[in-house]
Amino acid sequence: MHPALVPLVDRRAPADADHWDALWQALADRALERADALALLASLTAALPDGPSLLALVDSLDRRRPAPPSAPWPGTVNVVGTGGGPSTVNISTASALLAAATGARVVKSGSRAHTGRTGSIDLLDRLGVPLTSSLDHTADHLATHGIAFAGPFVYPGQLARLALLAVPTPMRVFGRFLNTLGPFLAAVPVAAQVTGVSATQPPPPLRTLAARPGGPVTWLTTNPVGADELLSFTDNTVHLPGGDTRTLPAGELVPADGTLGDLAPVSRDEAADHFRAVLAGRTSAPLRATLSLNAAALAVASGHRDDWATAVGEAGAALDDGAALGLLERLTASRLRGGSRVG
């Protein structure tokens, strides 16, 4: 094992920035073997590092990226979940479009699926929606459409190179760690972030990352089902900065009927057509309620609205009057006119 990996795999003490820096330097120097990459990824997937080690990891990666703008984009929220949990349709992607159709400014970061699910990037590719290729491009999309789907440029290249070093081992083997950490690695200068956590309570290391100095105001959401999005038919908890929580009881804001079966994904071949039908309002009542609830969270977190009930009502109206589907169609048309390719 390369000496740079020993303190990261051993875990007898928190890994500091110097330890992570040594890893990235060894990776850049091509001094790591495939066995090194497998050992590190396996260790990270088996158990999350402690909070200080994760903070040092994110800080070390940030230092290797271009400097972000001096101030975050005001009134803008990123929505991205940790993945895992029950399999559902692409709720966060639909909710992002729905919230933007009500006037909230939304950035959506995400990834391709590591397993059989259709990830947000896979779906956008099938829909013909362009990803942005730079922060300037992202800002342009926000100004034009009120929403931007950020391309892979927002994620650090070091983890991608580490994953490539592990080939041919498929990434689904390490997907749990990459999905869990991913929401905190997207370099988009938003003011707020809503991250669904596929657990009944956020793990302490994620709470540490959510409260990271200099980061966006981050909400972590959980529910007893372990889904990484708000669900209409169960209680949900929003974990706010500083340790406060907001409980959203089932039935308080939207009808509480339904089960996970009402949110089940369709096949990849049907995903794009099904997604358009959902945004056109042709969907089950439980899925409609779930989308409205998640869109409302984005509207409130971004500061676009301060009242949940109002935000829920506006989301439902954006389904009924065609605003959400119209926004999707404008994004698709922008790609045909020369928007960046997805992938």
Side-chain angles (χ1 to χ4, degrees):
M1 180 181 292
H2 191 281
L5 272 67
V6 173
L8 307 178
V9 174
D10 187 7
R11 301 201 187 191
R12 282 183 290 184
D16 60 26
D18 289 342
H19 295 139
W20 294 110
D21 286 343
L23 168 65
W24 309 134
Q25 189 59 55
L27 184 64
D29 294 340
R30 300 186 178 183
L32 298 181
E33 302 291 338
R34 178 171 180 267
D36 294 326
L38 290 173
L40 178 60
L41 288 169
S43 174
L44 295 174
T45 300
L48 278 178
D50 56 70
S53 296
L54 281 181
L55 281 178
L57 166 60
V58 174
D59 287 342
S60 73
L61 290 171
D62 280 349
R63 288 197 301 273
R64 285 162 172 75
R65 298 200 266 200
S70 57
W73 296 325
T76 303
V77 60
N78 182 23
V79 53
V80 55
T82 62
S87 186
T88 66
V89 297
N90 294 82
I91 289 172
S92 63
T93 305
S95 299
L97 284 160
L98 189 53
T102 71
R105 288 168 52 84
V106 183
V107 173
K108 175 75 180 83
S109 60
S111 63
R112 296 193 182 275
H114 290 300
T115 60
R117 294 177 61 178
T118 303
S120 62
I121 304 303
D122 303 295
L123 176 64
L124 294 171
D125 197 6
R126 290 173 178 270
L127 290 167
V129 174
L131 300 185
T132 62
S133 56
S134 67
L135 288 182
D136 286 343
H137 192 197
T138 304
D140 288 344
H141 266 235
L142 280 171
T144 302
H145 304 291
I147 188 170
F149 292 94
F153 77 93
V154 300
Y155 292 105
Q158 286 80 4
L159 289 180
R161 288 195 288 274
L162 192 64
L164 284 174
L165 191 58
V167 171
T169 302
M171 276 304 97
R172 66 175 178 269
V173 176
F174 310 114
R176 178 169 170 263
F177 168 73
L178 297 173
N179 282 341
T180 300
L181 188 61
F184 307 97
L185 294 178
V188 284
V190 292
Q193 179 167 310
V194 175
T195 293
V197 179
S198 55
T200 56
Q201 290 290 328
L206 291 195
R207 291 178 182 267
T208 300
L209 285 180
R212 180 174 173 241
V217 176
T218 299
W219 292 5
L220 303 178
T221 69
T222 59
N223 51 62
V225 180
D228 68 338
E229 53 259 328
L230 301 173
L231 302 178
S232 62
F233 46 82
T234 186
D235 294 346
N236 298 276
T237 302
V238 179
H239 303 263
L240 303 166
D244 294 334
T245 60
R246 164 75 190 268
T247 299
L248 303 174
E252 179 181 76
L253 293 167
V254 295
D257 298 332
T259 67
L260 281 170
D262 296 298
L263 313 180
V266 298
S267 70
R268 291 193 177 196
D269 291 339
E270 300 172 312
D273 288 341
H274 179 260
F275 191 82
R276 292 188 184 95
V278 167
L279 288 187
R282 301 193 302 271
T283 187
S284 67
L287 180 52
R288 174 192 175 93
T290 291
L291 294 179
S292 297
L293 189 61
N294 283 274
L298 301 181
V300 175
S302 68
H304 176 64
R305 288 288 177 261
D306 57 11
D307 178 73
W308 280 80
T310 298
V312 166
E314 291 179 343
L319 289 173
D320 293 336
D321 64 16
L325 182 60
L327 176 56
L328 174 63
E329 291 173 342
R330 291 193 296 277
L331 287 165
T332 301
S334 75
R335 178 176 177 174
L336 295 175
R337 292 193 302 268
S340 62
R341 290 186 56 82
V342 175

